[in-house]
Amino acid sequence: MDNFNFYSPTEFVFGKDRENECGKYVKKYGGSRVLLHYGSGSVVRSGLLDRVKASLEAEGVYYKELGGVQANPRDTKVYEGIDLCKAENLDFILAVGGGSTIDSAKAIACGVPYDGDFWDFYSGKAVIAAALPVATVLTIAAAGSEGSGDTVITKEEGMLKRGAGSDFLRPRFSVMNPALTCTLPAYQTACGATDIMAHVFERYFTNTTEVEITDRLCEAVLSTMFKETPRVIADPNNYEARANIMWAGTVAHTNIVGVGRSQDWNSHGIEHELSGLYDCAHGAGLAVIMPAWMEFVMEHNVMRFAQMATRVFGVPMNFENPADTAKKGIRAFRVFLREIGMPINFEELGAKEEDIPVLVEKFGLGEEGRTGGFVSLSSSDVAEIYKIAAKATL
Amino acid sequence: MDNFNFYSPTEFVFGKDRENECGKYVKKYGGSRVLLHYGSGSVVRSGLLDRVKASLEAEGVYYKELGGVQANPRDTKVYEGIDLCKAENLDFILAVGGGSTIDSAKAIACGVPYDGDFWDFYSGKAVIAAALPVATVLTIAAAGSEGSGDTVITKEEGMLKRGAGSDFLRPRFSVMNPALTCTLPAYQTACGATDIMAHVFERYFTNTTEVEITDRLCEAVLSTMFKETPRVIADPNNYEARANIMWAGTVAHTNIVGVGRSQDWNSHGIEHELSGLYDCAHGAGLAVIMPAWMEFVMEHNVMRFAQMATRVFGVPMNFENPADTAKKGIRAFRVFLREIGMPINFEELGAKEEDIPVLVEKFGLGEEGRTGGFVSLSSSDVAEIYKIAAKATL
């Protein structure tokens, strides 16, 4: 096990009707002038935004609204938010929505006290050293952004999707009412579930040995998702299954399942080029990329894939041929993805095989570059993974 | 799943040599005048205390020492600490040791800003509303006190052992170097491991349904302990196994594996009377009580015990007779305890069956009282559990 720090100071306020306590928690964490940040009309139509506003008003908290955050949130909206915070002297950002809205809120939060262009944090030019406090009312179980210090923003010019992270961006509190996710369409629910599982897989496939506790915690989240996701697809109003998925999504991404070990986020990176180019859902892109990546790297550590197959997907161990078990595990993952309505190849996603050179180009390794991780990848490896993903079947 | 709040703001600083960063973290969390609190001579002999002092001195942090904390820490030492903090105007408490030292530090921390007797918090007369900041350098993987807001203190008069808890007592940071636990004798190592597993079992046996995620997280910790504990008993210097146990011990008790569900802490309570009366190790007492409690309550939910047997101890499910599987799970737990050198009955613990009436009396339910939990217990139920524990064999 490697040395590590683990720090997850967010207060999670979980359960039915908890959004009515927003005002109380904003005050508890020192907010007095709030940017109320949200996305599309669904939080308005559902009445959620009104309940949040009523809760703020009941505590006498001042707020200004900024809606209209898109999926794959854009830098343009971030600039708008930064300007509004400065003009109105706002001191706290409350994001009401899913990962996109929360990520946009985090970008605004670190942009406000920074003299330069906030994109510097995403392009790697600067490190986040301060931020306005952020809190969330989560409406989609997926990104884990409600408990993480991470944010991903898309630069509209060139549709460049890039991430940044800092403990300063960890939400002060996150209200998580599973009932709010019941109205989410099946496709988006499945996208979220896939994203949650990917967050675990990216930590699970490690070259660090002797990490039984985090292996087991990863498998706990994956097993839960394997059981609960088909239940909510079949019965969207199943509160209990929604609750299990929602908490699993947070546990998956505070990093408690990933500390003390090397991680491999190449699947996320390889997917980002897909959702960047086609504006498809991140989770759907992951459903196509993650198993393809697994096939490509499986030989690097067959026993780890056999462990996943056995402990998560219940594949019986083939002691004479562990690679057979490993392959059956990857197949079981694709069967699960198909069952919950996810695409498993380019055609189903709406991507085109002929775009692979463009995707590889945007991934940006160039001729000599390699990524780190479980298996270090070159541009031609990335192209190969796109090719496997393009043609995948059950 | 029940509504819940989860809040674990402690920064965990985990790995080799991390104690040398104590001074830096004390300053980060605002400490300038520190009470350095510790137990017996082992932290002195090992050189750990000197390294911690050097680290404080390197950062120019003022400190006063208070050593001598006993196992089952006493109220008398707490009063001494409160007086010292007040006399020296100390603003931060750094505990160097195991759960006893940390619990004593927490008691001092809440006692300093309180006008009355700190015991009020433990007797249920008052609720903790403020505390000095606490931090820890952990030397024993057991109590989970490094990541919890809980503390247990023994009142010397009558050897009354009582607990208190508050988010104010959650450590600001906890330094966790698994190498520091390598010198711990096998018996104390096993006691710690048993305590960690008990913390999970007390959360695992719940009447709340539909809590797959926390069930799976509980099983993750238990499976890890089942694998790693015999390794450190056989090879005390196995850093990797020590590291897995140490992080499992923290995960077991921040409550991340126990949120959203009713819990049952009766085994802990029933054990407290044993270690209160005989001054035996808490973990050893749990090894005797926990399986006895399981036998007594098993019929209440046979399938939950069968789940534990199957998922944690690898007992094959007997689909025709789940109670058989459940019993084999409890037996597997006792076999494990025997294997790691723990007592499994009164004689092996040094307790006496004829003291059972005294133990039941001290437990304090009286004639009509009942405890809450998985199964509500009366005084005669508690007596029955002590009787099962007294006579247990493999």
Side-chain angles (χ1 to χ4, degrees):
Chain A
M1 195 184 294
D2 302 333
N3 285 8
F4 66 84
N5 275 32
F6 177 71
Y7 178 58
S8 173
T10 305
E11 181 165 7
F12 297 101
V13 180
F14 191 103
K16 289 173 185 159
D17 302 326
R18 304 300 300 271
E19 64 271 18
N20 299 324
E21 299 171 48
C22 271
K24 189 180 87 180
Y25 283 98
V26 166
K27 280 184 88 171
K28 176 175 175 182
Y29 287 98
S32 61
R33 297 178 64 82
V34 171
L35 176 71
L36 188 56
H37 199 39
Y38 53 91
S40 68
S42 67
V43 298
V44 181
R45 284 192 307 275
S46 69
L48 171 61
L49 199 67
D50 282 340
R51 295 201 296 284
V52 170
K53 285 183 196 173
S55 163
L56 294 174
E57 286 159 13
E59 297 288 336
V61 173
Y62 175 85
Y63 62 86
K64 288 296 284 185
E65 296 177 50
L66 179 63
V69 181
Q70 294 170 265
N72 300 317
R74 308 302 155 89
D75 60 339
T76 45
K77 182 61 71 178
V78 174
Y79 291 117
E80 209 180 317
I82 293 170
D83 290 346
L84 184 58
C85 285
K86 286 180 174 171
E88 287 279 337
N89 200 22
L90 304 179
D91 61 13
F92 197 100
I93 307 182
L94 180 60
V96 181
S100 297
T101 303
I102 300 170
D103 282 9
S104 180
K106 289 175 177 173
I108 296 167
C110 62
V112 171
Y114 182 62
D115 282 338
D117 181 349
F118 93 92
W119 188 255
D120 290 351
F121 301 128
Y122 294 75
S123 64
K125 269 193 205 161
V127 173
I128 297 164
L132 292 188
V134 173
T136 87
V137 180
L138 186 65
T139 59
I140 306 175
S145 194
E146 72 281 4
S148 83
D150 303 329
T151 155
V152 177
I153 298 290
T154 298
K155 196 179 180 64
E156 242 176 50
E157 189 187 324
M159 288 303 276
L160 260 183
K161 196 168 178 176
R162 290 292 176 265
S166 165
D167 280 340
F168 292 105
L169 299 183
R170 288 188 183 265
R172 294 299 203 276
F173 69 86
S174 281
V175 170
M176 300 170 66
N177 176 357
L180 298 178
T181 68
C182 289
T183 52
L184 203 66
Y187 186 78
Q188 279 170 263
T189 299
C191 285
T194 307
D195 194 19
I196 290 168
M197 294 180 81
H199 289 157
V200 181
F201 282 130
E202 309 266 36
R203 293 173 164 100
Y204 190 66
F205 294 103
T206 181
N207 293 319
T208 312
T209 56
E210 297 274 18
V211 283
E212 181 75 1
I213 178 62
T214 33
D215 271 6
R216 290 283 187 183
L217 293 171
C218 284
E219 289 154 3
V221 176
L222 293 169
S223 299
T224 301
M225 298 304 296
F226 187 52
K227 176 188 168 197
E228 303 293 351
T229 309
R231 293 178 76 199
V232 297
I233 299 301
D235 174 13
N237 288 313
N238 188 324
Y239 176 87
E240 300 293 353
R242 293 274 184 193
N244 275 286
I245 289 172
M246 198 173 215
W247 189 234
T250 302
V251 174
H253 208 41
T254 63
N255 209 29
I256 198 164
V257 307
V259 292
R261 53 203 284 153
S262 69
Q263 303 184 3
D264 183 318
W265 289 81
N266 285 329
S267 290
H268 257 71
I270 294 170
E271 190 293 311
H272 278 173
E273 303 312 331
L274 284 178
S275 49
L277 189 63
Y278 302 110
D279 212 15
C280 61
H282 174 51
L286 285 167
V288 173
I289 293 299
M290 194 90 232
W293 173 86
M294 289 180 181
E295 281 183 8
F296 185 76
V297 303
M298 192 198 88
E299 286 297 333
H300 176 65
N301 188 342
V302 165
M303 289 305 269
R304 180 149 284 272
F305 279 93
Q307 177 179 314
M308 169 196 82
T310 304
R311 291 188 183 170
V312 177
F313 295 108
V315 177
M317 178 65 187
N318 183 338
F319 292 90
E320 290 182 326
N321 186 356
D324 173 63
T325 309
K327 282 178 195 159
K328 282 183 174 146
I330 299 170
R331 186 184 142 79
F333 182 36
R334 277 216 185 91
V335 168
F336 164 86
L337 291 167
R338 172 65 59 81
E339 182 190 358
I340 64 172
M342 284 287 93
I344 61 166
N345 56 42
F346 267 30
E347 192 186 339
E348 292 173 15
L349 182 69
K352 292 174 192 153
E353 197 170 349
E354 59 263 36
D355 287 340
I356 290 177
V358 178
L359 294 164
V360 173
E361 172 76 22
K362 286 169 76 87
F363 192 73
L365 284 176
E367 274 188 34
E368 302 289 324
R370 298 190 76 89
T371 65
F374 185 62
V375 172
S376 147
L377 303 175
S378 66
S379 276
S380 66
D381 295 333
V382 172
E384 194 56 39
I385 291 166
Y386 281 127
K387 281 179 203 162
I388 296 171
K391 297 191 169 84
T393 56
L394 284 187
Chain B
M1 196 182 294
D2 302 333
N3 285 9
F4 66 84
N5 276 33
F6 177 71
Y7 179 58
S8 173
T10 305
E11 180 164 6
F12 298 100
V13 181
F14 192 100
K16 289 173 185 159
D17 302 324
R18 304 301 299 272
E19 63 271 18
N20 299 325
E21 300 171 48
C22 271
K24 188 180 88 179
Y25 282 98
V26 166
K27 280 184 89 170
K28 174 175 176 181
Y29 287 99
S32 60
R33 296 178 63 82
V34 171
L35 176 69
L36 188 58
H37 199 38
Y38 53 91
S40 69
S42 67
V43 297
V44 181
R45 284 193 305 276
S46 69
L48 171 62
L49 200 67
D50 283 340
R51 294 201 297 282
V52 170
K53 286 182 194 173
S55 162
L56 294 174
E57 286 159 12
E59 297 287 337
V61 173
Y62 175 85
Y63 62 87
K64 289 296 285 185
E65 295 179 48
L66 180 63
V69 181
Q70 294 169 265
N72 298 317
R74 308 303 154 88
D75 60 339
T76 45
K77 183 60 71 180
V78 173
Y79 292 116
E80 210 181 315
I82 293 171
D83 291 346
L84 184 57
C85 285
K86 286 180 174 171
E88 287 280 338
N89 200 23
L90 304 179
D91 60 14
F92 198 99
I93 307 182
L94 179 61
V96 181
S100 297
T101 302
I102 300 170
D103 282 11
S104 182
K106 288 175 178 174
I108 296 167
C110 61
V112 170
Y114 182 60
D115 282 338
D117 182 349
F118 92 92
W119 189 255
D120 291 351
F121 301 128
Y122 294 75
S123 64
K125 269 192 204 160
V127 173
I128 297 163
L132 293 189
V134 174
T136 87
V137 180
L138 187 65
T139 59
I140 306 176
S145 194
E146 72 280 3
S148 84
D150 303 328
T151 154
V152 177
I153 298 290
T154 298
K155 195 180 181 65
E156 242 174 49
E157 189 187 324
M159 289 301 277
L160 261 183
K161 196 169 179 175
R162 292 292 177 266
S166 165
D167 279 341
F168 292 106
L169 300 183
R170 288 189 183 265
R172 294 300 202 276
F173 69 86
S174 281
V175 170
M176 301 170 66
N177 176 356
L180 298 178
T181 68
C182 288
T183 53
L184 203 67
Y187 186 79
Q188 279 171 263
T189 299
C191 285
T194 307
D195 195 19
I196 290 168
M197 293 180 81
H199 289 155
V200 181
F201 282 130
E202 308 266 35
R203 294 174 163 98
Y204 189 67
F205 294 104
T206 181
N207 293 320
T208 312
T209 57
E210 298 272 18
V211 283
E212 181 76 2
I213 178 63
T214 34
D215 271 6
R216 290 284 187 181
L217 292 171
C218 284
E219 290 154 2
V221 176
L222 293 169
S223 299
T224 301
M225 298 305 296
F226 187 51
K227 175 190 169 196
E228 302 293 351
T229 309
R231 293 178 75 198
V232 296
I233 300 301
D235 174 14
N237 289 313
N238 187 324
Y239 177 87
E240 300 293 354
R242 293 274 184 192
N244 275 286
I245 289 172
M246 198 173 214
W247 189 234
T250 302
V251 173
H253 209 40
T254 63
N255 209 29
I256 198 163
V257 307
V259 292
R261 53 204 284 152
S262 68
Q263 304 184 2
D264 183 318
W265 288 81
N266 285 330
S267 289
H268 256 71
I270 293 170
E271 189 295 310
H272 279 173
E273 303 312 332
L274 283 179
S275 48
L277 189 64
Y278 303 110
D279 212 14
C280 61
H282 174 51
L286 285 168
V288 174
I289 294 298
M290 195 90 232
W293 173 87
M294 288 180 181
E295 280 182 9
F296 186 77
V297 304
M298 191 198 89
E299 286 297 331
H300 176 65
N301 189 342
V302 166
M303 289 306 270
R304 180 150 284 274
F305 280 92
Q307 178 178 313
M308 168 197 81
T310 304
R311 291 189 184 170
V312 176
F313 295 108
V315 177
M317 179 65 186
N318 183 338
F319 292 91
E320 289 182 326
N321 186 356
D324 173 63
T325 308
K327 282 178 196 160
K328 283 185 173 144
I330 299 169
R331 187 184 140 78
F333 182 36
R334 277 215 185 92
V335 168
F336 164 84
L337 291 167
R338 172 64 59 83
E339 182 189 359
I340 64 171
M342 283 288 93
I344 61 166
N345 56 42
F346 268 30
E347 193 187 338
E348 292 173 13
L349 182 69
K352 291 174 192 153
E353 196 170 351
E354 57 264 34
D355 288 340
I356 289 177
V358 179
L359 293 164
V360 173
E361 171 77 22
K362 286 169 75 85
F363 192 73
L365 284 176
E367 276 188 31
E368 301 289 325
R370 299 191 75 89
T371 65
F374 184 62
V375 172
S376 148
L377 304 175
S378 67
S379 277
S380 66
D381 295 332
V382 172
E384 195 56 41
I385 290 166
Y386 282 127
K387 281 178 204 163
I388 296 170
K391 296 192 170 83
T393 56
L394 283 187

